[in-house]
Amino acid sequence: MAIKTTPTKANLIKTKGRLNFSEKGYDLLDKKRTILIQEILQLVKEAEIIEKEIRSLFQEAYEALQETSISMGLNHLEEFAVSVTPEIPFDIRARSVMGVDIPEVIYTEKADVALPYGFYENNPALDITIKKFNDVKYLSYQLAQIETTAYKLSLEIKKTQKSANALDKIRIPQLREEIKYIQDTIEEKEREEFFRLKKIKSKR
């Protein structure tokens, strides 16, 4: 590689400063990458737990729905399905994790679901069905948030890895080579100057 830097002491100091800055930058990127990987591993564990809960709840919910359909009749159940309260809206806001904008689902989880029927029409199986499917819905919000977060963090890891590799494999070696070139050139010039002065003194 052709080095175009003028081999002066001033440039040596500047190049050493750039090397020190690049090495610190690499260390920070390496730490960031480690933290992001740990964060993703934690998210994967959380997602596995929620997926397991959702599968279990879905099974319970469909079993409750089947029981409700048997006890109420399919036509009667469809009438209640039409009168179910519209979905409660939710918002998405962003929060920063290691410089990455992560979506956060904001919703109100109601402990008591407003049932679309009176006490005289009450059916315990229907109560359970509605409750189970609502639990699945809120868990799905959490899972979507976790999976989106993990995806965005994985993109940031790739970006961080690319920057770290550029410093470690290209920029830092270039600066070290540049420093060696400047140092060797300066030392050579100092030796030449020393011998020149020595020769001048010997002639006097």
Side-chain angles (χ1 to χ4, degrees):
M1 182 189 72
I3 299 175
K4 299 180 180 180
T5 304
T6 305
T8 63
K9 289 185 177 181
N11 282 337
L12 178 61
I13 293 171
K14 289 179 182 178
T15 306
K16 283 184 176 180
R18 289 197 291 267
L19 175 61
N20 183 52
F21 181 78
S22 296
E23 287 175 338
K24 286 182 178 178
Y26 173 76
D27 289 339
L28 288 174
L29 288 172
D30 189 50
K31 289 177 182 177
K32 178 181 179 180
R33 177 179 53 192
T34 301
I35 291 171
L36 290 174
I37 290 173
Q38 291 173 346
E39 186 72 21
I40 283 186
L41 291 176
Q42 181 61 37
L43 289 172
V44 169
K45 290 180 182 178
E46 292 177 15
E48 288 175 350
I49 292 172
I50 292 178
E51 285 175 349
K52 187 176 180 180
E53 290 181 21
I54 287 177
R55 283 195 298 269
S56 177
L57 272 176
F58 254 128
Q59 184 176 352
E60 293 174 9
Y62 278 115
E63 288 174 357
L65 181 62
Q66 187 176 23
E67 185 177 339
T68 303
S69 178
I70 293 171
S71 62
M72 295 180 59
L74 188 58
N75 290 335
H76 200 189
L77 180 59
E78 287 179 351
E79 291 177 7
F80 281 112
V82 173
S83 63
V84 169
T85 306
E87 189 63 39
I88 301 173
F90 60 86
D91 295 319
I92 303 292
R93 73 181 178 192
R95 60 186 179 89
S96 181
V97 176
M98 297 294 291
V100 184
D101 287 334
I102 300 301
E104 186 175 2
V105 182
I106 308 300
Y107 60 91
T108 302
E109 183 174 350
K110 292 187 176 181
D112 298 322
V113 181
L115 302 177
Y117 49 84
F119 287 110
Y120 71 95
E121 298 170 307
N122 186 38
N123 186 308
L126 181 58
D127 293 352
I128 294 172
T129 301
I130 294 175
K131 176 66 169 59
K132 294 289 184 184
F133 276 108
N134 268 284
D135 290 343
V136 169
K137 175 182 66 179
Y138 294 129
L139 282 174
S140 298
Y141 287 164
Q142 295 175 35
L143 182 60
Q145 178 177 307
I146 288 172
E147 289 181 341
T148 304
T149 299
Y151 173 72
K152 289 206 165 191
L153 291 182
S154 69
L155 294 180
E156 187 65 19
I157 287 175
K158 290 181 181 179
K159 181 181 175 182
T160 303
Q161 180 70 49
K162 186 177 180 180
S163 299
N165 285 341
L167 285 173
D168 186 42
K169 306 298 182 183
I170 301 173
R171 183 60 177 164
I172 291 175
Q174 284 177 347
L175 290 171
R176 286 175 178 166
E177 185 179 350
E178 192 173 322
I179 288 170
K180 185 178 185 304
Y181 164 75
I182 295 173
Q183 286 176 331
D184 290 346
T185 305
I186 290 174
E187 287 174 2
E188 181 64 26
K189 285 182 179 180
E190 288 176 346
R191 281 194 296 270
E192 289 176 358
E193 182 66 16
F194 173 77
F195 286 119
R196 188 183 68 83
L197 291 173
K198 189 175 181 181
K199 193 172 184 181
I200 291 174
K201 287 181 180 180
S202 65
K203 288 181 179 180
R204 288 179 180 176

